[in-house]
Amino acid sequence: MSSKQGSSAGVGSGVDLKDADDVKEYVENLGIEYRFGCYQEKNPKSCHLLGDYWESIKKDFSKAYKTYELNCTDYNFGHSCHKAAGYRWFGKACEQDGDLAFSFFKKGCELDYHSSCLSAGILDTAKPSDKLYHRAEPPNPKRGLEFFRKSCEEGNLAEGCHRYASFFINGMKDVCKKDLEHAFKYSLMACELGSLGGCTNVSIMYK
C-alpha cells in the first residue's frame, strides 16, 4: 500500500494533505467541478461555491465578486446577493456603490437569506450623516423596521430581534408607537437567542 493510500490525513477521494502535489491537484479539480456546475449545469449552489473558491482559495476577489453578482441577478441565490452586497458596500474588487449594495441586501432578504434582512435594516435605520454611510438614497426607518422583523421572526437572528424590539421601547415618529409589551416580547426572543442587549432590556423591564 502506498503512503498516499494509507494516510489518515486524507480528505476527499484519498487526498494526502501532506503531499503538496496531491493537494494542488485536488484544489484545481474543485475549481473545475464548480465551474462546470455553475456554467454548464447552471446550478446556483455550484455558482456560490465557485464564488467561495475564488474568494477563499484563489484570493481572486474580482472573479469572486463577478460570480456572486451573476448568481444573484441571474439565478436568484440569496446568499450570493448578500456576498455581492458586501463587496459593493466596501468597494472590494469593484466600484463602491452603497445603493447597489442595499439593493443586493434587499434582494437577498426577499429570497429569504435573513442575514441580508438584518443588513438591509441596519442601512435603512442608519444616520445618513455617518461618514461611513455610502448611499445616495436616504434611510427609510419604517422599511428598516420590517427588515428587522423578518430577520427576527423568520430567521431567528438575535440581533434582528433586539433591534426590532428597541424601536418600540421609546417609539419613533412616523415609524412606530411606543409599545412596551411588544418591546418585551421581542427583547425576550432576542435574549433567548443569545443577545446580551435583549437580555439587558428584559431585565430592565422586569424591574
Side-chain angles (χ1 to χ4, degrees), residues 139-184:
N140 183 338
K142 192 169 186 178
R143 181 175 59 185
L145 189 63
E146 283 304 300
F147 284 132
F148 288 146
R149 183 198 60 75
K150 184 170 181 175
S151 74
C152 173
E153 292 184 350
E154 298 180 17
N156 293 316
L157 297 184
E159 183 64 15
C161 295
H162 172 57
R163 287 176 180 264
Y164 182 72
S166 297
F167 268 77
F168 292 93
I169 292 176
N170 296 309
M172 180 180 288
K173 184 179 179 181
D174 299 325
V175 177
C176 65
K177 294 180 180 179
K178 180 177 179 178
D179 188 335
L180 291 181
E181 185 176 346
H182 205 60
F184 179 84

Side-chain angles (χ1 to χ4, degrees), residues 34-198:
Y34 295 153
R35 283 192 290 271
F36 180 81
C38 180
Y39 299 126
Q40 300 300 318
E41 298 180 335
K42 303 188 184 304
N43 184 321
K45 290 183 179 179
S46 293
C47 288
H48 188 80
L49 287 171
L50 179 60
D52 290 346
Y53 173 82
W54 292 127
E55 180 182 68
S56 302
I57 297 176
K58 291 297 188 179
K59 307 298 182 185
D60 190 329
F61 302 114
S62 178
K63 286 184 179 179
Y65 169 72
K66 289 174 183 176
T67 304
Y68 291 136
E69 182 185 44
L70 168 76
N71 206 31
C72 173
T73 57
D74 288 9
Y75 302 138
N76 297 315
F77 197 74
H79 193 179
S80 288
C81 295
H82 187 75
K83 295 288 289 190
Y87 272 73
R88 276 295 184 180
W89 183 257
F90 293 105
K92 184 176 182 179
C94 59
E95 184 179 352
Q96 188 179 63
D97 189 327
D99 292 289
L100 184 55
F102 177 81
S103 71
F104 282 139
F105 281 134
K106 182 173 179 287
K107 184 171 183 178
C109 180
E110 291 167 350
L111 293 167
D112 295 326
Y113 190 76
H114 297 105
S115 290
S116 283
C117 300
L118 176 59
S119 296
I122 290 171
L123 293 185
D124 248 352
T125 57
K127 294 180 180 179
S129 58
D130 189 328
K131 64 180 181 180
L132 298 177
Y133 192 77
H134 306 307
R135 291 170 67 195
E137 179 187 355
N140 183 338
K142 192 169 186 178
R143 181 175 59 185
L145 189 63
E146 283 304 300
F147 284 132
F148 288 146
R149 183 198 60 75
K150 184 170 181 175
S151 74
C152 173
E153 292 184 350
E154 298 180 17
N156 293 316
L157 297 184
E159 183 64 15
C161 295
H162 172 57
R163 287 176 180 264
Y164 182 72
S166 297
F167 268 77
F168 292 93
I169 292 176
N170 296 309
M172 180 180 288
K173 184 179 179 181
D174 299 325
V175 177
C176 65
K177 294 180 180 179
K178 180 177 179 178
D179 188 335
L180 291 181
E181 185 176 346
H182 205 60
F184 179 84
K185 174 185 174 181
Y186 285 91
S187 291
L188 184 60
M189 288 174 64
C191 180
E192 291 173 344
L193 289 167
S195 167
L196 179 60

